[in-house]
Amino acid sequence: TPSLLWLRRDLRLSDHPALTAAVGAGAVIPVFVLDPETEALGAAPRWRLEQSLVSFEKTLKDKGSRLIVRRGAAAQVLRDLVEQTGARAVHWSRLYDPVSKARDTAVKSSLKEMGITAQSHPGHLLREPWTVETKTGGFYKVYTPYWKAMAQLDMDAPLPAPKSIPNPQNWPDSLKISDLGLGKDMRRGASVVAEFAIVGEQEAQGRLGAFLSHGITEYASARDRTDQGGTSGLSENLTYGEIGIRAVWHAALRAREEGKPGAETFLKELVWRDFAWHLIHHTPHITDESWRPEWQSFPWRDDNDDAERWRRGLTGEPMVDAGMRQMYITGTMHNRVRMLVASYLTKHLMTHWRVGQKWFEECLIDWDPASNAMGWQWAAGSGPDASPYFRIFNPETQAEKFDPKRTYRRRFIAGYGGSKEADALKLFEAVPRSWNMTPADPYPERMVDLKAGRERALDAYQKHKAA
Ligand code: FAD
């Protein structure tokens, strides 16, 4: 009898414990379900998921297998498939955000009611969030001790891809991936972002290989330079599990053993990702509420016209606008600039971090519920181990340090310093027509005086703290 392999953010063959378990038990039916939870993702994440599914379907086909695609509530769809195929087991890789956990718990109990084995597996993280504990048996709220604990642990070695995937006698019906319409809300942006996205397992492995042979040496200093491609770019692949985190970890460990400078810093960044999932597992409110309850009542503004200018990359603050525009053109944003635009929105513009969190979810092809929530709360000062409230990034100083020759700003802002860079011009093909942006528009004046904005924020934060 076959097993169902329910795929979500694990679209790869290697380092895939759920797949390995399913193959070990016999025939495997790989299934993707477009459930309401996945349908609720933002436009760019959904589009990027479609790319990933198309690529993985081909990978499966090359192995002689298939991808069965269905739409509906996961519990019901999986029950139907169990009945249609006679499957006795369903395997999947665990996720740890509150939305996924609620769905997966319902799926588990519904399958168990039918007498079906419902087995979840690790694979999305280096360590399951409950296996990393403080000395007193609690979870970590601060990164540095978490990193120290992780650095002491042995991480499982990545599993090899199965040699073959046994087929069932009969395949159930399937929709086509294109029937799901996952890309439809990206509209104009899709063809622009597609030029930058690097999709699929093989490509992700190539990207890791290239980074290990070139980028990792300079990583410690280059990772903050917005004008250099100094980072791995792997987040878009990790978010859909096109590459296993344990494979990346062990490759970086080997680089450290070979004495490659930068490897240690890279390992630390990988641990930030696990830390985000550790936090979302133990404190699921991080996605919706200020993590520190005292910040729940902070008078951040709801969505507003200034925030709309921020979204459009029209604040007149070049480093901020370059970041926002990079996101529409490429689907990602440099980490240093993510911190900067988040600080600018929550502090200089005194706008709620949730407004920014939501917009990133709409626009990032590497959107991840855990890292995004943690990043926003870090910038706003409301999270665990957050940037202190008085740390207000100065976009000008940041630009001098991390984009000294204005390369990054010119690359993404047409008209800035006379820029006619090809990438900057792509913005006008990517953003909604209703924004009425054209290359002929003059670059706007600064919307907020940096000093006044900083003082206004400091004043509000100090008052709130005193109260
Ligand atoms: P590299 O520098 O090559 O790092 C390697 C990997 O380490 C990354 O792919 C990522 O998996 C992990 N990593 C690195 N930095 C962080 C970090 N600060 N937090 C968590 N993991 C990290 N990352 C996402 O993947 N999805 C998001 O939705 C997301 N939203 C963010 C929002 C804000 C406000 C901020 C400040 C950061 C956010 N990040 C998010 C974290 C970080 O910006 C990206 O992971 C990073 O820019 C990805 O580029 P890279 O793969 O080249 O990273």
Side-chain angles (χ1 to χ4, degrees):
T1 54
S3 307
L4 303 181
L5 174 67
W6 177 28
L7 296 155
R8 296 102 58 88
R9 289 182 178 267
D10 50 352
L11 303 174
R12 64 178 180 277
L13 295 181
S14 56
D15 192 22
H16 198 314
L19 170 63
T20 303
V23 167
V28 181
I29 302 178
V31 181
F32 175 78
V33 184
L34 180 61
D35 50 36
E37 291 81 359
T38 311
E39 204 137 15
L41 290 176
R46 250 180 304 146
W47 171 82
R48 182 61 178 77
L49 171 62
E50 181 177 60
Q51 308 301 301
S52 193
L53 286 168
V54 169
S55 164
F56 192 57
E57 182 180 50
K58 182 165 182 309
T59 305
L60 286 170
K61 209 167 154 201
D62 291 346
K63 277 265 176 200
S65 181
R66 290 190 197 176
L67 179 65
I68 300 304
V69 176
R70 295 276 174 105
R71 173 178 230 151
Q76 189 57 49
V77 170
L78 292 168
R79 282 176 82 102
D80 293 348
L81 275 167
V82 161
E83 276 167 11
Q84 288 158 17
T85 61
R88 300 300 306 153
V90 183
H91 295 273
W92 66 86
S93 312
R94 265 173 229 130
L95 292 171
Y96 315 84
D97 57 289
V99 173
S100 300
K101 280 202 285 196
R103 173 194 57 200
D104 298 355
T105 308
V107 165
K108 204 166 223 173
S109 53
S110 130
L111 291 171
K112 283 196 168 151
E113 262 169 34
M114 297 174 85
I116 298 299
T117 305
Q119 185 63 53
S120 64
H121 297 264
H124 195 60
L125 301 179
L126 289 166
R127 294 290 298 212
E128 297 303 280
W130 50 88
T131 66
V132 191
E133 289 187 330
T134 62
K135 288 201 180 74
T136 53
F139 64 96
Y140 284 93
K141 297 170 190 142
V142 180
Y143 168 79
T144 303
Y146 178 78
W147 153 254
K148 285 188 179 146
M150 290 286 276
Q152 299 301 316
L153 295 170
D154 284 329
M155 305 299 175
D156 287 340
L159 296 164
K163 288 205 172 62
S164 61
I165 305 175
N167 283 336
Q169 269 168 356
N170 297 303
W171 285 100
D173 295 341
S174 174
L175 296 171
K176 291 207 280 294
I177 295 168
S178 57
D179 294 337
L180 301 176
L182 283 164
K184 67 178 190 311
D185 293 337
M186 264 288 265
R187 296 192 193 96
R188 311 172 72 213
S191 61
V192 176
V193 173
E195 289 180 44
F196 297 90
I198 294 184
V199 181
E201 183 166 13
Q202 214 183 332
E203 280 68 14
Q205 283 171 354
R207 188 175 222 174
L208 173 65
F211 177 70
L212 291 171
S213 35
H214 310 294
I216 201 159
T217 307
E218 300 293 328
Y219 180 73
S221 55
R223 63 179 289 269
D224 272 326
R225 284 289 293 265
T226 60
D227 53 350
Q228 298 169 1
T231 67
S232 72
L234 282 167
S235 54
E236 66 167 311
N237 308 110
L238 285 166
T239 200
Y240 293 110
E242 294 169 352
I243 191 164
I245 185 71
R246 301 181 307 186
V248 182
W249 174 265
H250 282 278
L253 272 188
R254 281 194 297 278
R256 187 172 68 178
E257 278 156 24
E258 289 161 10
K260 291 214 170 124
E264 172 95 357
T265 312
F266 186 64
L267 289 165
K268 284 186 176 161
E269 293 308 314
L270 298 177
V271 165
W272 270 109
R273 176 177 177 275
D274 256 56
F275 184 53
W277 285 97
H278 182 80
L279 287 174
I280 206 172
H281 171 74
H282 289 288
T283 51
H285 72 280
I286 195 170
T287 58
D288 294 319
E289 291 167 24
S290 288
W291 192 89
R292 292 174 189 277
E294 65 270 27
W295 292 106
Q296 260 305 89
S297 56
F298 184 72
W300 277 300
R301 295 191 291 161
D302 290 335
D303 208 345
N304 56 67
D305 290 348
D306 293 344
E308 184 59 24
R309 285 180 65 176
W310 173 85
R311 278 195 283 266
R312 295 186 184 191
L314 289 172
T315 66
E317 199 55 66
M319 209 54 187
V320 172
D321 293 339
M324 301 306 287
R325 294 178 184 210
Q326 180 188 11
M327 183 160 70
Y328 309 130
I329 297 166
T330 69
T332 67
M333 193 193 300
H334 193 281
N335 178 59
R336 168 93 357 220
V337 194
R338 291 188 207 209
M339 296 194 286
L340 175 64
V341 303
S343 167
Y344 186 83
L345 183 75
T346 54
K347 292 178 175 167
H348 281 98
L349 299 186
M350 284 289 291
T351 299
H352 205 294
W353 59 266
R354 290 206 60 186
V355 173
Q357 176 203 27
K358 224 170 140 215
W359 190 239
F360 271 27
E361 174 172 359
E362 192 61 18
C363 304
L364 282 174
I365 59 171
D366 70 1
W367 181 76
D368 166 315
S371 298
N372 193 42
M374 179 181 75
W376 274 97
Q377 296 231 33
W378 180 88
S382 59
D385 199 2
S387 163
Y389 75 89
F390 48 81
R391 177 146 190 229
I392 299 179
F393 278 78
N394 179 329
E396 263 180 347
T397 335
Q398 292 285 310
E400 280 159 26
K401 271 199 203 149
F402 303 114
D403 185 30
K405 295 189 177 142
R406 302 199 294 171
T407 315
Y408 176 78
R409 282 164 286 173
R410 289 175 51 87
R411 177 172 172 209
F412 291 115
I413 309 179
Y416 173 74
S419 162
K420 290 189 185 122
E421 299 267 336
D423 285 349
L425 289 169
K426 287 179 184 143
L427 178 83
F428 308 99
E429 296 160 37
V431 296
R433 280 208 176 81
S434 60
W435 288 9
N436 288 327
M437 286 172 79
T438 77
D441 301 341
Y443 183 63
E445 293 290 311
R446 197 172 252 154
M447 184 170 96
V448 172
D449 176 71
L450 286 182
K451 193 156 169 267
R454 182 190 151 79
E455 274 160 16
R456 182 175 64 170
L458 266 183
D459 190 46
Y461 272 79
Q462 266 153 2
K463 273 201 190 110
H464 188 73
K465 245 189 127 54

